[in-house]
Amino acid sequence: RYLAALPTDERAKALLLLPQRFPPQADPKQARQLVDAVTQPYLTQPEALLARAQMAMRVGDLAAARQEIREVRRLQPESEPALLLDAQLIAQQNPPALIPLFADFLSRYPNAATIRVLYAQQLLAAGRLPEARAEIEQVLAQTGVAPEPLFAAAAVAVQAQAPQLAIQALNRLLTVDAIDTALIQYNLGLAFEAQADLDRAQASGAVGNTAEAEAIMHYLQVRGGDYFVPARLRAASLMARRGNLSDARTLLQTTSVASAAARTELVIGEATLVNESGDRKGALQLLERAVSKDPKNVALRYELGMTAERLGNMALFERSMRTVIKQDPK
């Protein structure tokens, strides 16, 4: 009754979302029966057939799913959801066939940004990096690309050793309203860090230093959320790599966090930087002070034990690990 009451365009969206209405614990066979029943009056609509195909895939009836998908692609050859379901089936049986599948679709619908990014991913997986980069360039040449494919394009670009393309995509995302800017700033930091590594590998030290400075700047733009502590840790690591260990330690020490777990991450991060600088005794002392302030902190005591082992202090190592086992028998 609900579907019948909807206007045609809204009904199409509701049909497409129908498989998502079932929780993971729902019985897949019963769910499929229900979807088949309520879509029966709408079998001329591609969205109804796609809903049926998804439910058929859930119960492992791949033949039925394939039949529904073929009918959708006949009725609506430009359907990206149909192509994506087709790709899921092909990936289970013949993964190399995904590349020609995507290439054929893009030859007819070149503005399908989501499909082009998936095509680039497949090219990347096949080791065809220049072609993958070329596909990302085509995505960035388009206007009006949705945030999801832009973000995915940035991820592929970094993996394809083209961080400048990732930076272009992420900078475009910063102009989109209601986007998680902390996530974008963090990924811009990762992209500039990748650029610095690339510059260093190409023996262009000055450019690498510039990219590192850009990465630090973007990491420091992350002001809260899930990426706040990881961003601070990466910024500090880059600062230490640039010879500013004191500033890196100050950054971590003065970072204000709301939870003990986050503070622990920062302390361990600082100890790691001190250890990597060659001052293992300094790292040990730092952790000893932290453990004395929070003796029930298993993570800190474990790190203390590992640092003691690196210094050859096996008595402290064993004492620390026995305490860890006592506090956390699992």
Side-chain angles (χ1 to χ4, degrees):
R1 291 197 299 271
Y2 167 70
L3 290 170
L6 291 174
T8 303
D9 58 338
E10 290 185 27
R11 184 187 302 132
K13 294 177 184 176
L15 287 167
L16 196 58
L17 292 172
L18 197 54
Q20 298 178 28
R21 304 298 186 195
F22 297 92
Q25 65 269 25
D27 181 283
K29 290 183 179 179
Q30 290 187 11
R32 183 191 185 187
Q33 290 173 0
L34 180 54
V35 168
D36 285 353
V38 299
T39 55
Q40 185 63 40
Y42 310 108
L43 296 184
T44 58
Q45 290 189 241
E47 294 79 10
L49 300 177
L50 285 173
R52 287 186 163 209
Q54 289 183 63
M55 302 312 292
M57 289 171 68
R58 283 193 197 181
V59 299
D61 190 350
L62 302 186
R66 189 173 295 107
Q67 183 177 344
E68 302 284 13
I69 292 167
R70 283 176 179 167
E71 180 62 12
V72 175
R73 298 198 66 193
R74 185 188 70 80
L75 293 171
Q76 199 175 61
E78 75 281 8
S79 171
E80 292 186 30
L83 181 75
L84 293 174
L85 281 182
D86 204 2
Q88 284 185 41
L89 288 175
I90 290 171
Q92 295 178 32
Q93 299 169 335
N94 185 19
L98 289 173
I99 288 179
L101 175 77
F102 290 142
D104 176 68
F105 187 87
L106 290 167
S107 69
R108 289 176 284 123
Y109 308 103
N111 291 328
T114 298
I115 305 304
R116 195 170 293 282
V117 173
L118 291 172
Y119 181 42
Q121 286 178 333
Q122 292 301 316
L123 293 170
L124 182 64
R128 295 160 62 174
L129 269 65
E131 295 170 78
R133 289 193 286 263
E135 294 303 320
I136 297 303
E137 287 174 351
Q138 287 203 51
V139 171
L140 296 179
Q142 296 180 35
T143 57
V145 178
E148 291 82 1
L150 269 181
F151 190 79
V156 174
V158 170
Q159 295 174 60
Q161 299 176 21
Q164 283 299 326
L165 295 179
I167 291 164
Q168 287 182 44
L170 292 165
N171 278 327
R172 278 173 63 173
L173 283 169
L174 283 178
T175 66
V176 177
D177 292 335
I179 205 81
D180 184 354
T181 55
L183 173 63
I184 303 308
Q185 293 287 3
Y186 181 72
N187 278 274
L188 274 166
L190 293 176
F192 275 107
E193 198 172 337
Q195 182 65 55
D197 291 339
L198 201 60
D199 293 338
R200 192 173 292 103
Q202 296 170 350
S204 178
V207 180
N209 287 336
T210 302
E212 283 177 352
E214 289 278 355
I216 292 169
M217 183 269 290
H218 284 289
Y219 286 139
L220 295 180
Q221 289 295 315
V222 180
R223 304 290 168 80
D226 294 341
Y227 296 91
F228 178 58
V229 170
R232 288 300 172 108
L233 290 169
R234 295 196 78 96
S237 178
L238 285 176
M239 292 165 71
R241 190 163 79 178
R242 288 161 63 84
N244 299 326
L245 178 60
S246 176
D247 291 346
R249 296 185 67 179
T250 299
L251 174 67
L252 297 181
Q253 291 167 6
T254 58
T255 294
S256 178
V257 289
S259 70
R263 175 52 58 192
T264 297
E265 283 189 72
L266 293 171
V267 170
I268 292 175
E270 183 185 355
T272 300
L273 295 182
V274 174
N275 183 61
E276 288 175 349
S277 74
D279 184 7
R280 289 183 175 177
K281 288 185 178 179
L284 186 71
Q285 291 169 357
L286 189 159
L287 289 165
E288 284 178 323
R289 289 194 299 271
V291 168
S292 69
K293 293 178 182 177
D294 189 3
K296 293 184 179 180
N297 192 313
V298 171
L300 285 175
R301 195 172 290 276
Y302 179 87
E303 195 66 26
L304 173 64
M306 294 304 295
T307 304
E309 189 270 341
R310 295 186 196 104
L311 275 167
N313 188 341
M314 302 311 290
L316 178 56
F317 164 74
E318 183 175 343
R319 193 162 62 249
S320 298
M321 292 309 173
R322 286 187 180 279
T323 303
V324 168
I325 291 168
K326 184 178 180 180
Q327 291 177 336
D328 185 3
K330 294 183 181 180

